[in-house]
Amino acid sequence: VKLRDMNTSDANDNTDMKCFHFLCILDSDDIMHPTRIAEQTSAMMSLGYGEQGKHLSENALMGCQFERLPHDSTWHYATWANSLSDKRVVLEQFREC
């Protein structure tokens, strides 16, 4: 995804075009909401830059809530996963149930 950082360059100047890479995971049995990638990309880009000039999305992990279809299938897993704190998401990032 190539996005312009409007804070550091003139709108007509292409020299400050930045390239950001994001990994989006989708299992074979998942159904993705049509705006998921746009919403998550926007949220990552809104993190801004740190003190050393690096974009904060470079070291970020983003999760999202989900729905099960049918809605009551594996309700215990959905309840657990959708209630994770930010710290717990990091700790559970490689867990596959």
Side-chain angles (χ1 to χ4, degrees), residues 8-21:
T8 61
S9 67
D10 182 279
N12 296 318
D13 180 15
N14 287 327
T15 58
D16 275 345
M17 187 72 78
K18 308 275 193 238
C19 183
F20 297 89
H21 299 273

Side-chain angles (χ1 to χ4, degrees), residues 29 66-79 82:
D29 61 343
F66 61 90
E67 284 183 70
R68 286 288 207 200
L69 297 175
H71 291 290
D72 288 332
S73 64
T74 63
W75 61 268
H76 47 86
Y77 174 76
T79 301
N82 285 332

Side-chain angles (χ1 to χ4, degrees), residues 13-77:
D13 180 15
N14 287 327
T15 58
D16 275 345
M17 187 72 78
K18 308 275 193 238
C19 183
F20 297 89
H21 299 273
F22 299 104
L23 176 64
C24 179
I25 298 174
L26 184 70
D27 293 334
S28 63
D29 61 343
D30 291 346
I31 300 171
M32 185 167 53
H33 190 278
T35 62
R36 174 188 171 196
I37 292 176
E39 290 180 37
Q40 289 183 323
T41 301
S42 177
M44 291 294 268
M45 296 311 299
S46 72
L47 295 175
Y49 289 88
E51 294 177 14
Q52 289 87 24
K54 288 180 73 175
H55 199 275
L56 296 176
S57 68
E58 291 184 33
N59 295 314
L61 173 68
M62 177 172 288
C64 64
Q65 293 189 344
F66 61 90
E67 284 183 70
R68 286 288 207 200
L69 297 175
H71 291 290
D72 288 332
S73 64
T74 63
W75 61 268
H76 47 86
Y77 174 76

